[in-house]
Each structure stands twice: as structure tokens, then as C-alpha cells.
Amino acid sequence: MTTAQATATTFECVVCGAPIELGDDTLQGELIDCGDCGTELEVVSTQPFLIQEAPQEAEDWGQ
Amino acid sequence: MSREVRVAIAGGSGYTGGELLRLLLFHPHVQVQQITSERFAGKPVTKVHPNLRKLTPLKFDKIGDLQPCDLLFLCLPHGETANRWDDFVRLAPKVIDLSADFRLNDAAAYRHAYKKHHPRPDLLQRFVYGIPELHRDEIRDADYVASAGCNATATILGLYPLYRAGVVDPERTVVEVKVGSSEAGNRANEGSHHPERSNCLRSFSPTGHRHVAEITQELSFGSKIQVHFSATAVDMVRGALATSHVFLNQGLEEKDVWKIYREHYAAEPFVRIVKERDGIYRYPEPKLLAGTNFCDVGFERDPASDRVVVISAIDNLMKGSAGQAVQALNLMCGFEERTALEFPGLHPV
Ligand SMILES: [Zn+2]
């Protein structure tokens, strides 16, 4: 193996528990959409990895 | 190898028969040999099912003229399958009945729901209840399948993971189903006259709906359960939406409920978990399912109580009847389960 391999770490979505893979090129502050529940997640730190729900924009969805 | 299974549809002039024919004409391994209608015998099927124009030369036959085939679909009024079973069983080794006649395993439950003695209680155990997500292996080995009711299908698929996991109070479930007008069939009555029916939200079955017996049968895992069920006809042609209120019997977070649903349905080809934080369609929406075989299931845990609201949607003529019956045919005949059922629906619609 001569090239550096990207490594991935698996996290659970904080809302639905779906597995989320974060590559080691993930940046602090990066936003990721959960494929299962659609929640926007924010990588608040990369060392160590820490994810939380991204701040929600104002609701504009009515009846 | 193609077109190796010869099928016939008895009772093919109704909405369910038309939907079955639409699906089977495009099934690569099925040849529709005959379709019957007493009223339209001798007429082209396109006279009744105009969407099939230029797609089939079939004409309706009388039921008495049915020839032997490999698999017979029965789309007859409730009671007919049981009363004429000895004639039908001679025609085909495999039968899928879309009526309510053989959905219940128990003659006493049938009597309670249909207010009469079952004419053929000896056959009740020979039919497999036709929801593949619950009985896939049995359907694969079955000769006779009783296709499930549409309201029952929507409700059962919504609630099954929670009941199976034993996490809800089994005696305290309240279900409200909203259904389109096609569920009532294609025979006109005074109530279906357009000026009377249009724009209605008609509570046609606040209590006492017959599908409750199916729901109870399929969701009881050894314990007594009670499902309180109401149905409302809404102003759409296709679609059924079940809103089910259940109460957790243990402290579960929304994430735990997610895990239960994912565990049961992640590998299912026709069940999708629909629950999103933003966007226009956050929960199951029947109009997006028109013509598809999907059941979309969503839920929300009430943060202020132990209530979970489960929302499940289907097209009543597809996953609620003909589509699910073709899914059963695929299993019974060893075809890939999604064959002829891959239409994804339309958006916008
Ligand atoms: Zn998620």
C-alpha cells in the first residue's frame, strides 16, 4: 500500500440512530444530512469527532 | 424463458380486477389467459378498463367458461369464493383470493366480524394471510393465499414493528383511516353520485369496521389486544392513510423507535420509513403512492406523553389489493418479488 488510505469512522445520527460515516478529511463545522431522517447534522469537532444537530432555520412549513 | 405462468382473473370488471390486469400484462413471466365478467362477457376488456387500450386484445369471458390455468385470481364479491370453492379449486393448483372470505384463521372471529357462519370453515387453515412482510416464507410455500384488506394492510404495516417488539400497550390503540372513493368499488349508489360525494369527508365507519378482525389477528402476539378503529372517506379516488395512536409501555426515545422500524423494514422492498425534519413531504402522503406498491410508514413520539403517532399510507388498489396480490404471486411462483411492481409513482401529481 503506497498511497494513504482515507479512513472512516462510523457515528450514529443523534436523532434516529442511523449509521453515519465520517472520513478523515471531514472538516470542523461541516454539515451532513442524515440519509434516514433527513436531519442536518453539524460536525462540531474533529479531534475527537463530535456531531450534533445543526441549528434549524426558521420554520416555514404550514398546513 | 418467459410467459410461463398462465393466470386467469375471475371477477375482472371491477377496479381490483382492472388493476391486476394492468400489472399482469407487463409481468414478463405471466400470460393472462382469461378474465371474466358476467355483465360484460364478450366485450373487450378495454371497454371497462380504458387505460389498457391498444395494450391487450382480451375479451371478458363468463366465469363458467374458465379453463384450467396455473394460478387463479378471485376478485369476487365477499362470500362467492367460499360458496363456489369446489368449482374454482378444480381449475388451478394455486389460488389468490382478494375477497375477505379466507383472511381470518378462526371461524368464531369470522362469525363475529361478518355476522354469519363461515360456509367453509374446513378451509380456513389452508389459506395464508397475504401480507408478505409478515408471512413471506409461508406465502412462498402456499397454494392458497387470502389477500389482505386495504385498511388492514395500511394499519398492520404501520403498527406491526411496535406490537412485535412488545413496546406498546396492546389494549389501547386508536386508528383513524382516511380512504379514497375507489375503495367502495365501481358499483354506483346514491351516496356515490357526484354532487353528493364530491368534497365530502364522510365518516362511514366510526366503529365496527370488519377489517378490525384482521388487524387483531395479525397484531396479537399471544396477548389480548384491542384496536379501536374508525374510517373516513375523503375526496380522493385512490389512497389510504392510517393515523394510529399507540401508547408506549416503557421509556423509549424517538431514536429507539427508529431502531425498531429500521430493524423490521430496512430490507423490505415495498416498505419505506418516511419521517423527515424538513421538506414538503415529511410524512407518508398517499397521493405520491398512486399506482405504486409501496407502503410508506412514519411516526412521531409525543414529547409530552407516552403516545406515538404512526402514519402509514398506501394506494388501496395496489399495496392494498392488486399490487400485494401480484407480490404474493411472485413469491408463490419463485419470481423476484418486485417483478411488475416497480412503478415509482409520479411527482408532481
Ligand atoms: Zn438520522
Side-chain angles (χ1 to χ4, degrees):
Chain A
M1 202 71 70
T2 52
T3 52
Q5 287 285 105
T7 55
T9 314
T10 304
F11 287 81
E12 278 195 355
C13 166
V14 294
V15 173
C16 76
I20 308 263
E21 275 204 353
L22 295 181
D24 61 4
D25 56 348
T26 304
L27 302 173
Q28 185 173 330
E30 199 163 318
L31 296 173
I32 296 153
D33 283 319
C34 170
D36 273 22
C37 70
T39 300
E40 195 174 47
L41 302 163
E42 183 180 352
V43 181
V44 290
S45 115
T46 55
Q47 288 176 338
F49 273 124
L50 191 61
I51 61 172
Q52 68 179 34
E53 237 185 295
Q56 302 248 335
E57 283 174 41
E59 179 69 83
D60 62 353
W61 192 69
Q63 286 186 332
Chain B
M1 177 91 100
S2 68
R3 303 277 172 187
E4 67 263 38
V5 173
R6 296 165 305 139
V7 311
I9 302 169
S13 66
Y15 292 146
T16 302
E19 195 75 352
L20 263 181
L21 184 57
R22 173 177 81 82
L23 297 170
L24 295 172
L25 286 176
F26 294 92
H27 194 300
H29 311 301
V30 165
Q31 176 75 49
V32 183
Q33 189 170 273
Q34 284 179 295
I35 178 166
T36 81
S37 164
E38 303 313 291
R39 209 168 138 216
F40 297 101
K43 305 265 189 222
V45 296
T46 53
K47 203 140 196 137
V48 180
H49 306 304
N51 54 324
L52 303 180
R53 283 173 183 146
K54 243 184 187 181
L55 298 174
T56 176
L58 274 173
K59 292 184 169 139
F60 287 112
D61 284 324
K62 292 213 174 233
I63 202 162
D65 295 331
L66 278 173
Q67 299 298 308
C69 58
D70 299 314
L71 189 148
L72 177 63
F73 287 98
L74 299 172
C75 309
L76 301 168
H78 296 315
E80 290 285 301
T81 300
N83 288 330
R84 307 173 66 161
W85 179 252
D86 293 334
D87 297 332
F88 295 140
V89 74
R90 276 196 283 271
L91 292 170
K94 291 180 194 290
V95 176
I96 298 178
D97 180 31
L98 286 88
S99 82
D101 287 9
F102 291 103
R103 291 176 188 159
L104 301 178
N105 306 325
D106 181 63
Y110 180 92
R111 193 177 175 209
H112 182 74
Y114 294 91
K115 309 293 175 226
K116 60 175 188 186
H117 287 286
H118 198 288
R120 294 297 301 270
D122 56 308
L123 296 171
L124 286 176
Q125 296 291 329
R126 300 189 55 194
F127 278 78
V128 175
Y129 188 71
I131 299 187
E133 288 74 12
L134 277 67
H135 300 291
R136 180 167 284 116
D137 292 339
E138 295 159 84
I139 292 172
R140 228 177 237 130
D141 295 335
D143 292 327
Y144 311 138
V145 165
S147 245
C150 45
N151 299 328
T153 298
T155 305
I156 291 166
L157 288 174
L159 295 178
Y160 174 76
L162 300 180
Y163 269 84
R164 174 90 235 194
V167 298
V168 294
D169 178 347
E171 294 197 51
R172 205 161 43 117
T173 292
V174 179
V175 182
E176 158 80 16
V177 173
K178 299 173 185 76
V179 299
S181 57
S182 62
E183 193 173 291
N186 66 350
R187 286 301 183 119
N189 60 43
E190 283 194 354
S192 68
H193 187 46
H194 183 266
E196 304 294 350
R197 180 65 175 79
S198 177
N199 292 327
C200 270
L201 291 173
R202 183 179 289 163
S203 291
F204 71 93
S205 191
T207 68
H209 197 290
R210 289 167 164 186
H211 288 182
V212 173
E214 291 173 49
I215 297 166
T216 306
Q217 168 177 291
E218 297 299 314
L219 295 181
S220 299
F221 294 96
S223 56
K224 178 182 181 299
I225 75 164
Q226 188 149 36
V227 174
H228 304 275
F229 184 97
S230 302
T232 307
V234 300
D235 199 22
M236 57 197 297
V237 173
R238 284 178 187 246
L241 178 80
T243 306
S244 304
H245 305 263
V246 295
F247 297 87
L248 295 167
N249 61 15
Q250 49 194 273
L252 295 183
E253 299 299 322
E254 191 154 283
K255 206 199 275 192
D256 303 318
V257 181
W258 256 108
K259 285 180 180 169
I260 290 170
Y261 276 99
R262 200 181 278 122
E263 195 177 295
H264 281 88
Y265 289 149
E268 282 299 338
F270 292 115
V271 183
R272 305 184 293 196
I273 305 168
V274 175
K275 171 179 173 53
E276 294 190 353
R277 297 304 273 294
D278 49 25
I280 301 168
Y281 296 99
R282 301 179 184 194
Y283 289 107
E285 167 57 63
K287 85 164 180 173
L288 296 178
L289 301 180
T292 84
N293 198 48
F294 288 114
C295 175
D296 284 355
V297 178
F299 60 89
E300 185 160 298
R301 187 200 186 301
D302 182 357
S305 74
D306 54 2
R307 181 175 62 124
V308 174
V309 184
V310 180
I311 301 139
S312 43
I314 57 172
D315 176 337
N316 55 299
L317 293 175
M318 283 293 298
K319 186 62 176 157
S321 104
Q324 182 152 257
V326 171
Q327 197 181 342
L329 168 144
N330 286 336
L331 287 166
M332 293 163 84
C333 298
F335 304 135
E336 208 283 322
E337 200 166 330
R338 282 168 298 191
T339 310
L341 297 170
E342 288 180 292
F343 178 58
L346 299 171
H347 178 261
V349 62

